[in-house]
Amino acid sequence: MTQRWSIFCDTNSISGKGHISRMLVLAEKLKKKKKIVFITSSLKNRFCKDITNAGYNIYEIEKMKFKKNYMTIIDGYFFSKKHIDIVKNGSKFTLQILDYGSKFYKTNYIISYDKLFKNPGIIGEGLRYSIINSNFENKKYIKKKT
């Protein structure tokens, strides 16, 4: 049986589109071996259409009947404690993408771009763990001057 993974992504336009873009790239890589669904705080948020256009199901967290997820990836800034608790209770494991200045939600695992953030759950730290457009995945270098 294929593991079900969910992505709880910030679709709020205040956050911009970076979280959505990053998670869509990740979902494309994971969907070969995992069943991927997206979760959002509101289906009325402006970036939800990008997720459905990419071919993924997206559910509003308040209306979602959770099947037990193996892993939920949390990427965003504006989540309530109630929503984080729902995600944690509906998942065996949680992983947070911890951007600069974002709130730490006490997840099982963390990917942090901030090398100064110390936590025993960190599985990756620094810019080499940033997830960007898959068109760049085969590049061996980053230009020093852009």
Side-chain angles (χ1 to χ4, degrees), residues 11 36 52 67 77-78 91 104 115:
T11 56
I36 304 295
T52 56
K67 297 177 184 174
Y77 301 136
F78 300 107
S91 304
F104 172 53
K115 285 190 162 260

Side-chain angles (χ1 to χ4, degrees), residues 43 47 51 55 60 62 67 70 76 85 90 106 112 122 126 144:
L43 291 175
F47 298 123
I51 295 167
E60 195 169 89
E62 294 283 345
K67 297 177 184 174
Y70 182 77
D85 288 344
K106 296 185 182 172
S112 174
I122 287 183
K144 292 182 180 180

Side-chain angles (χ1 to χ4, degrees), residues 18-77:
H19 303 289
I20 301 296
S21 299
R22 178 170 46 215
M23 290 300 103
L24 285 172
V25 169
L26 182 60
E28 280 299 307
K29 297 296 181 185
L30 291 173
K31 78 176 185 180
K32 295 172 187 165
K33 296 184 180 182
K34 314 289 182 212
K35 177 174 174 42
I36 304 295
V37 298
F38 279 78
I39 305 168
T40 184
S41 54
S42 173
L43 291 175
K44 294 177 183 175
N45 288 345
R46 126 179 162 187
F47 298 123
C48 292
K49 189 116 177 115
D50 294 308
I51 295 167
T52 56
N53 287 345
Y56 294 97
N57 292 330
I58 183 167
Y59 301 96
E60 195 169 89
I61 193 163
E62 294 283 345
K63 297 176 183 170
M64 186 173 178
K65 293 181 180 168
F66 259 93
K67 297 177 184 174
K68 190 72 168 178
N69 291 310
Y70 182 77
M71 173 72 76
T72 298
I73 300 168
I74 301 167
D75 188 6
Y77 301 136

